[in-house]
Amino acid sequence: MTERVFQKKTIFGPSEIFIDERTKMIANPAFQKKIPLIETGCEKMTEYISELEQKGYREVIK
């Protein structure tokens, strides 16, 4: 499994972030684009996932 999904409920509705560990790309369907991990300011995927969890995102199984 290379894709992981994180969700958070916001006042605008559910927010989802998709992470592809193989290509190190992060996708947010709300903004309709993918960005490389390096553009987030994090060097490692675990660092970025930790930041998501601090912001209230939880990993979901799809």
Side-chain angles (χ1 to χ4, degrees):
M1 178 172 88
T2 61
E3 186 174 79
R4 298 169 76 179
V5 180
F6 290 81
Q7 288 184 335
K8 173 182 175 180
K9 294 202 185 309
T10 68
I11 60 171
F12 303 109
S15 174
E16 288 187 325
I17 294 179
F18 295 83
I19 298 174
D20 188 333
E21 292 181 322
R22 187 177 50 82
T23 61
K24 297 191 180 198
M25 295 291 282
I26 293 136
N28 184 335
F31 298 115
Q32 299 179 351
K33 68 181 215 174
K34 292 182 180 180
I35 61 168
L37 175 67
I38 196 74
E39 286 186 21
T40 66
C42 298
E43 293 181 18
K44 297 181 180 177
M45 191 62 72
T46 54
E47 191 179 330
Y48 182 71
I49 290 170
S50 177
E51 282 188 16
L52 283 178
E53 290 172 345
Q54 288 176 0
K55 292 177 182 178
Y57 283 87
R58 298 288 171 241
E59 187 168 8
V60 295
I61 308 298
K62 285 201 169 194

